[in-house]
Amino acid sequence: MGRAGNGRRVCALGVAGMLAGTVLVGCGDGDSGDGARGTSADASAGTREQGTRAVRSAYDRTAEEDTAKVSLRVRTSAQGASQTANGQGVVDLDDGDSVMTLTMEGQRIEQRVIDQVLYQKLPKGQAPGGKPWIRIDLGKVAARQGAGGRSMSDPAQSAAYAKAITDKDVTEKGSTTVNGVRTTHYRVSVDVAELPHGDTLREQVGPTLPMDVWLDDEGRMRRQQIDMTVKAPETSQRSSSGASSAPEKVTVRTVMDFTDFGTEVEADAPPAGQVTDMTGKALEQGRKQS
């Protein structure tokens, strides 16, 4: 396959990873309910506390709906070039299973995530092995990347992200209508050092992970935006001047909208005879980048 096809697979895998981690970053098993707002000097602190509680409890309140329709927009930029992917589908908010259709550069990709395994049906002529589908075990890839063998879609991970947020990390930005629903917009700064394997993550994405969330009046996630700058490891190669090459930076903006809670999700793996397993290739690429 040519370079463009490889780029599409890598970008699509990134899309799947973001979808698998939906509503987990900065959300989780926090306390819910309305906090009492203080008076005079305590008013601002009380507002921040309310915002922190709202963001922390958003995952639980959203997951209680079980399923939802999701629309996805991912813009990836590196070395002066960028790609934009759009997706539409349905997601199980509890276990991360999903069925989506992705569109990138005029190409259409059918995607399913089932039990932390990614399946993609690539455009005709682009799939390796003469089979229409590829398969990547996201759990194994996550383990190789230092996630302790757990995918970011594991709800048990959510509490760790909640603990990484304090009152100073959440700022209320006002009310906004998202897809016809009134929401409250919060800006969140997650302390990467407080996350599992934070030292490794800090080297890749920096000290903080910026995120914006829009919660409806029931505290459910209606929109999530994550802005991430990933630094590749410095290369050992030197230029003709003798200077070390600067690490490559990839910026990714991911926006997910959630609507129609309770929509049925039917995620079935394609027949085994139509699938080429690409997990080994994904792990090999991860080793080269580490």
Side-chain angles (χ1 to χ4, degrees), residues 48-130:
R48 285 183 176 273
E49 289 174 2
Q50 284 184 325
T52 302
R53 281 195 293 271
V55 173
R56 282 183 168 180
S57 64
Y59 170 75
D60 288 330
R61 291 177 180 246
T62 307
E64 286 173 357
E65 302 294 340
D66 294 330
T67 62
K69 289 185 179 180
V70 60
S71 64
L72 178 71
R73 299 183 299 280
V74 181
R75 182 177 178 83
T76 306
S77 303
Q79 297 180 328
S82 63
Q83 282 187 331
T84 299
N86 295 285
Q88 301 284 339
V90 291
V91 60
D92 189 313
L93 297 164
D94 183 34
D95 60 23
D97 287 1
S98 63
V99 178
M100 293 198 72
T101 299
L102 305 175
T103 304
M104 290 186 297
E105 298 183 330
Q107 299 289 328
R108 192 169 179 266
I109 298 173
E110 185 178 343
Q111 174 174 293
R112 305 173 191 174
V113 176
I114 303 165
D115 295 332
Q116 299 187 26
V117 175
L118 166 71
Y119 298 93
Q120 286 185 338
K121 186 177 183 181
L122 302 179
K124 187 175 181 179
Q126 293 188 16

Side-chain angles (χ1 to χ4, degrees), residues 144-174:
R144 175 64 183 84
Q145 293 174 343
R150 284 174 145 181
S151 168
M152 294 286 285
S153 62
D154 186 349
Q157 293 278 61
S158 61
Y161 290 92
K163 292 176 182 176
I165 298 175
T166 65
D167 293 341
K168 67 181 178 63
D169 299 323
V170 179
T171 303
E172 183 176 331
K173 304 300 289 184

Side-chain angles (χ1 to χ4, degrees), residues 118-140:
L118 166 71
Y119 298 93
Q120 286 185 338
K121 186 177 183 181
L122 302 179
K124 187 175 181 179
Q126 293 188 16
K131 300 178 181 180
W133 291 85
I134 64 170
R135 175 189 187 277
I136 297 176
D137 190 321
L138 297 177
K140 290 183 179 179

Side-chain angles (χ1 to χ4, degrees), residues 18 29 39 107 115 138 153 158 169 171 175 184-185 198 209 224 267 283:
M18 281 296 181
D29 302 325
T39 58
Q107 299 289 328
D115 295 332
L138 297 177
S153 62
S158 61
D169 299 323
T171 303
S175 298
T184 302
H185 176 196
L209 183 64
Q224 180 185 43
L283 292 172

Side-chain angles (χ1 to χ4, degrees), residues 261-282:
F261 292 114
T263 298
E264 185 176 359
V265 178
E266 295 183 0
D268 297 318
Q274 298 182 16
V275 179
T276 299
D277 195 320
M278 299 291 291
T279 303
K281 290 288 187 181

